[in-house]
C-alpha cells in the first residue's frame, strides 16, 4: 500500500541533551533502544548503553560512535530480570558518568499466543522483562536522582496498554502495567524534582519485528495506521528525546502516544 505521508528527513540535532548524562537499556540491535541511544548522542548526551547481549552491545556502541560522530559510549552487560545485574548497572553508570540525569527504560519482550494456549512461563517471562524490570530499574536509579533533586526517566509502553489485539494478552497487560507504574512513580518522584513519563508507540518497523512477525500480520497492522506506514524507530526516539529534554519540563506521569492509528 502507498503511504499517505512519506517518511520525513532524519532530524537535525538541536543540542537538546547537551551536558546531560544518559543511560539506555536494551540499546543493542536495530530497534527503538538503539535509535534513542543514537539520538541521545546526537543531541549532546554523554551515554552509557546496556543490553544482555554482549556482542551486539559492543557493535551498537561502535555504530553510535561512528554514525553520530561522538565518543564511544560506555557499555554494561545487564539482564534486567536479575536484581544484582541491575544494581551493577546502576553502580557502573554512576562510576562512568558521575551522575545519571536521564534513564531511558526500553527493555521489553513480546510474543503472540492465545490465552488458552499460554503457559505460566510465557506469561511470567513477558511480565518480568517488560514490567518487573522497570520496577527494578526505577528502584535502583531513583535514590541518586532524589539526592540530586533532579532527573528524568522515560519508559517505553505501547498502545496495546489501551487497545486490544489477539494473542497479546500478556504483552498488553505488561504494557498497561508500565503505564500505571509510570503514573504512580511519577507522583512520588515529583516531590524530589524528578520527572517520569512514557511513550506508547503503535507500530515501529525494524528488522527484528519483520523477522518474528508474518507479512500478513504486518500488513493488517499497517492498514490501521492513518499514514498507511509504520513509524521509523527514530520517530519514536524523537518523542523520547523530547520527554528527556527540558522542552517537556512541566510533564510528568504522562503517557504520550506515538501513533497514527485511526480512531
Amino acid at each position: 500500500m502507498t503511504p499517505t505521508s512519506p517518511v520525513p528527513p532524519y532530524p537535525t540535532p538541536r543540542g537538546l541533551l547537551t551536558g546531560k548524562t544518559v543511560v539506555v537499556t536494551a540499546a543493542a540491535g536495530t530497534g527503538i533502544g538503539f535509535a534513542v541511544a543514537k539520538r541521545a548522542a546526537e543531541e549532546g548526551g554523554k551515554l552509557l548503553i546496556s543490553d544482555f547481549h554482549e556482542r551486539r552491545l559492543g557493535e551498537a556502541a561502535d555504530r553510535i560512535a561512528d554514525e553520530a560522530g561522538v565518543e564511544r559510549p560506555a557499555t554494561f552487560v545487564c539482564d534486567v530480570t536479575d536484581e544484582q545485574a541491575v544494581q551493577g548497572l546502576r553502580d557502573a553508570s554512576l562510576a562512568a558518568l558521575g551522575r545519571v540525569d536521564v534513564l531511558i527504560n526500553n527493555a521489553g519482550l513480546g510474543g503472540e499466543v492465545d490465552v488458552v494456549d499460554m503457559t505460566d512461563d510465557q506469561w511470567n517471562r513477558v511480565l518480568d522483562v517488560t514490567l518487573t524490570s522497570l520496577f527494578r530499574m526505577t528502584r535502583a536509579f531513583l535514590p541518586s536522582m532524589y539526592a540530586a533533586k533532579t532527573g528524568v526517566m522515560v519508559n517505553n509502553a505501547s498502545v496495546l496498554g489501551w487497545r486490544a489485539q489477539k494473542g497479546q494478552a500478556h504483552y498488553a497487560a505488561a504494557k498497561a502495567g508500565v503505564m500505571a507504574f509510570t503514573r504512580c512513580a511519577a507522583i512520588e518522584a515529583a516531590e524530589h524534582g524528578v520527572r517520569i513519563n512514557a511513550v506508547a508507540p503503535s507500530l515501529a518497523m525494524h528488522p527484528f519485528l519483520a523477522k518474528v512477525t508474518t507479512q500478513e500480520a504486518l500488513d493488517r497492522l499497517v492498514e490501521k495506521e492513518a499514514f498507511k506506514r509504520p513509524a521509523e524507530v527514530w520517530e519514536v526516539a524523537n518523542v523520547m528525546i523530547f520527554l528527556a529534554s527540558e522542552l517537556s519540563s512541566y510533564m510528568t506521569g504522562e503517557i504520550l502516544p506515538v501513533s497514527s492509528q485511526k480512531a
Side-chain angles (χ1 to χ4, degrees):
M1 65 190 69
T2 303
T4 60
S5 175
V7 176
Y10 192 80
T12 301
R14 293 170 171 81
L16 295 177
L17 298 181
T18 298
K20 300 292 186 181
T21 58
V22 183
V23 174
V24 184
T25 67
T30 58
I32 294 171
F34 175 81
V36 73
K38 181 183 173 188
R39 288 290 294 116
E42 291 167 344
E43 293 295 342
K46 183 178 180 181
L47 293 185
L48 183 146
I49 62 174
S50 175
D51 202 283
F52 75 96
H53 196 295
E54 186 172 7
R55 177 183 58 80
R56 286 204 305 258
L57 181 61
E59 292 171 351
D62 291 338
R63 282 185 59 198
I64 289 170
D66 181 54
E67 296 176 17
V70 298
E71 177 185 349
R72 188 180 189 273
T75 61
F76 188 85
V77 177
C78 179
D79 177 355
V80 294
T81 68
D82 183 325
E83 173 62 18
Q84 286 190 326
V86 169
Q87 292 181 18
L89 172 58
R90 174 202 58 205
D91 294 345
S93 299
L94 292 173
L97 303 175
R99 67 183 191 281
V100 176
D101 297 316
V102 178
L103 172 64
I104 297 180
N105 287 307
N106 181 66
L109 178 68
E112 183 171 344
V113 58
D114 289 351
V115 171
V116 294
D117 300 318
M118 190 180 299
T119 66
D120 282 7
D121 285 345
Q122 288 173 311
W123 172 270
N124 291 333
R125 179 64 177 165
V126 168
L127 263 72
D128 197 9
V129 174
T130 306
L131 177 57
T132 308
S133 73
L134 172 60
F135 157 65
R136 292 187 188 99
M137 293 293 297
T138 304
R139 179 177 60 186
F141 279 81
L142 272 183
S144 64
M145 291 184 174
Y146 282 4
K149 298 295 182 183
T150 185
V152 179
M153 293 186 181
V154 181
N155 302 327
N156 195 351
S158 167
V159 294
L160 290 187
W162 293 308
R163 301 168 183 170
Q165 186 173 315
K166 181 181 182 295
Q168 297 292 327
H170 50 353
Y171 183 73
K175 289 300 190 180
V178 168
M179 294 177 175
F181 181 86
T182 296
R183 288 189 290 265
C184 293
I187 296 304
E188 297 177 17
E191 300 174 6
H192 303 272
V194 176
R195 299 190 298 112
I196 306 176
N197 294 290
V199 297
S202 55
L203 178 63
M205 184 55 64
H206 53 87
F208 180 76
L209 177 63
K211 185 164 58 174
V212 300
T213 310
T214 66
Q215 188 59 51
E216 181 183 8
L218 289 174
D219 289 344
R220 287 198 305 269
L221 293 173
V222 169
E223 177 60 33
K224 295 179 180 179
E225 299 291 328
F227 294 145
K228 295 295 187 288
R229 69 171 178 86
E232 298 294 316
V233 287
W234 54 261
E235 290 181 294
V236 178
N238 287 345
V239 182
M240 300 175 89
I241 294 299
F242 162 72
L243 290 174
S245 78
E246 294 303 318
L247 293 180
S248 62
S249 58
Y250 197 67
M251 294 179 66
T252 199
E254 297 293 342
I255 316 299
L256 201 55
V258 188
S259 168
S260 73
Q261 287 197 347
K262 300 176 182 177

